[in-house]
Amino acid sequence: MNKNDLSAFQLKSNLRKALKENQFVLYYQPKINTETGTIIGVEALIRWIHPEKGMINPATFISLAEESDFILLLGEWILNKACNQIKEWEKLNIKIPIAINVSIKQLLKQDFATLVSKKLKEFKISSEYLEIEITESVLSSNESLVRDAVSKLRNMGIKVSIDDFGTGYASFMYLKQFQADTIKIDQSFISHLPTSQVDTAIVSAIITLASELGINVIAEGVETQEQFNFLKDKGCSQLQGYLYSKPLPPNEILLLLRETEGR
Ligand code: C2E
Ligand code: CA
Ligand code: CA
Ligand code: CA
């Protein structure tokens, strides 16, 4: 094993312990309506607060979790935590949806829709407050399983987006495979707007595609006013990114939500 493999191995064997010892935290990043500038929802993004290594980003450990069935355990924890947060905010009269990231493996390996349905009942949450972003790090071999899971979720009233659209294995295929509510344009297409000719063409095309399909479109990773202006001009109705806010821990997102309440 080389040094990288070794540290990956160490992290991987630490995941279960980390879950038991409550080392994971959900951060929240607002989603903005491009026209009005108001917060229309938040995305939950997981962080691992390691006792020695400090904060570890999900890019490092989600793929490790996906290599084993640990992602199922972690996914359940995330779902639970998000439901808890929805409840907390409801008490404070803050009513916005939380979107959680769900890897395709969770849809394939368990009856995710039934799990969600149980959670909503357990927490007494209306389905409009929980949303799903489907991330695709693996090529899904079982189309009908994915289709069934998504249609079950949508029939329950849960909105589903295709995350990182344009990257990975099956973005366009997903559009044929299941009905999505939203396409999320990956930040790799946003970061070189508006100068890159290729990226402006791709982003414009995705926005047109979404509009022709009658589905929502959101851009992630919006960092500059120029990117914002371009997206607004092209009719991208929602966006997310450092320009507005980084992902924030629960206490800080609460301040932001309160500050902007009723705007
Ligand atoms: P993603 O779903 O595409 O999330 C967007 C990533 O871009 C997040 O990184 C976010 O912090 C970052 N980001 C947001 N705005 C900006 C910006 O303006 N500029 C830049 N440079 N970056 C921005 P993060 O939090 O490190 O998450 C990375 C990926 O890990 C996520 O990508 C998602 O695929 C995965 N992930 C995160 N949380 C979860 C989770 O709870 N479950 C699962 N299955 N995957 C997760
Ligand atoms: Ca996402
Ligand atoms: Ca993603
Ligand atoms: Ca992305």
Side-chain angles (χ1 to χ4, degrees):
M1 266 194 271
N2 68 34
K3 211 171 152 222
N4 272 341
D5 286 344
L6 187 63
S7 62
F9 177 78
Q10 283 169 341
L11 284 182
K12 201 170 173 178
S13 54
N14 273 322
L15 283 168
R16 276 165 208 276
K17 185 165 172 262
L19 187 60
K20 246 188 242 132
E21 296 184 357
N22 234 342
Q23 292 170 11
F24 294 105
V25 190
L26 290 185
Y27 273 42
Y28 298 92
Q29 186 179 38
K31 297 183 180 186
I32 309 301
N33 175 312
T34 313
E35 287 298 322
T36 62
T38 50
I39 299 177
I40 46 169
V42 295
E43 175 181 8
L45 291 154
I46 196 167
R47 302 287 179 263
W48 179 359
I49 316 290
H50 194 282
E52 286 120 43
K53 295 183 171 51
M55 190 151 94
I56 305 177
N57 280 325
T60 321
F61 65 85
I62 287 289
S63 57
L64 296 176
E66 282 174 341
E67 283 169 19
S68 72
D69 282 347
F70 181 73
I71 190 66
L72 302 183
L73 270 182
L74 189 61
E76 263 192 75
W77 181 88
I78 291 162
L79 175 62
N80 223 43
K81 200 76 185 172
C83 287
N84 232 314
Q85 190 63 79
I86 292 168
K87 233 31 215 179
E88 294 275 300
W89 286 344
E90 194 189 290
K91 283 181 213 150
L92 301 169
N93 209 24
I94 293 170
K95 292 178 177 162
I96 51 157
I98 296 182
I100 56 171
N101 289 283
V102 174
S103 69
I104 223 65
K105 194 165 174 186
Q106 290 174 262
L107 299 184
L108 294 173
K109 282 246 171 167
Q110 69 189 157
D111 188 352
F112 188 72
T114 301
L115 179 68
V116 169
S117 162
K118 276 187 194 146
K119 281 293 159 203
L120 294 182
K121 282 200 192 96
E122 181 188 326
F123 282 87
K124 300 193 176 69
I125 290 172
S126 156
S127 58
E128 68 193 292
Y129 295 114
L130 186 72
E131 299 181 352
I132 305 284
E133 296 188 8
I134 298 184
T135 66
E136 42 156 35
S137 61
V138 290
L139 181 62
S140 142
S141 50
N142 199 323
E143 293 184 18
S144 64
L145 266 184
V146 176
R147 181 187 301 124
D148 289 350
V150 171
S151 71
K152 266 194 197 169
L153 287 164
R154 292 188 75 252
N155 286 337
M156 286 159 51
I158 301 220
K159 295 222 167 66
V160 173
S161 20
I162 303 176
D163 206 353
D164 300 322
F165 191 83
T167 70
Y169 294 98
S171 293
F172 282 100
M173 225 126 83
Y174 281 172
L175 285 178
K176 284 164 66 88
Q177 239 180 74
F178 57 80
Q179 175 75 45
D181 298 279
T182 304
I183 288 176
K184 193 166 195 178
I185 309 173
D186 189 64
Q187 68 180 59
S188 58
F189 300 113
I190 305 297
S191 43
H192 304 292
L193 293 181
T195 43
S196 157
Q197 203 189 343
V198 175
D199 290 340
T200 54
I202 290 173
V203 170
S204 305
I206 297 176
I207 294 169
T208 306
L209 173 68
S211 146
E212 291 201 0
L213 292 170
I215 64 186
N216 265 322
V217 63
I218 181 165
E220 69 173 24
V222 179
E223 294 182 348
T224 69
Q225 192 62 44
E226 289 71 31
Q227 292 164 358
F228 175 92
N229 294 345
F230 176 88
L231 291 162
K232 185 172 177 178
D233 187 52
K234 291 290 173 189
C236 181
S237 58
Q238 302 172 9
L239 59 89
Q240 208 180 334
Y242 294 173
L243 178 65
Y244 193 89
S245 169
K246 292 196 170 189
L248 300 171
N251 58 333
E252 289 179 35
I253 190 82
L254 178 60
L255 290 179
L256 185 65
L257 290 173
R258 282 191 149 156
E259 217 174 83
T260 54
E261 211 181 350
R263 251 212 302 163

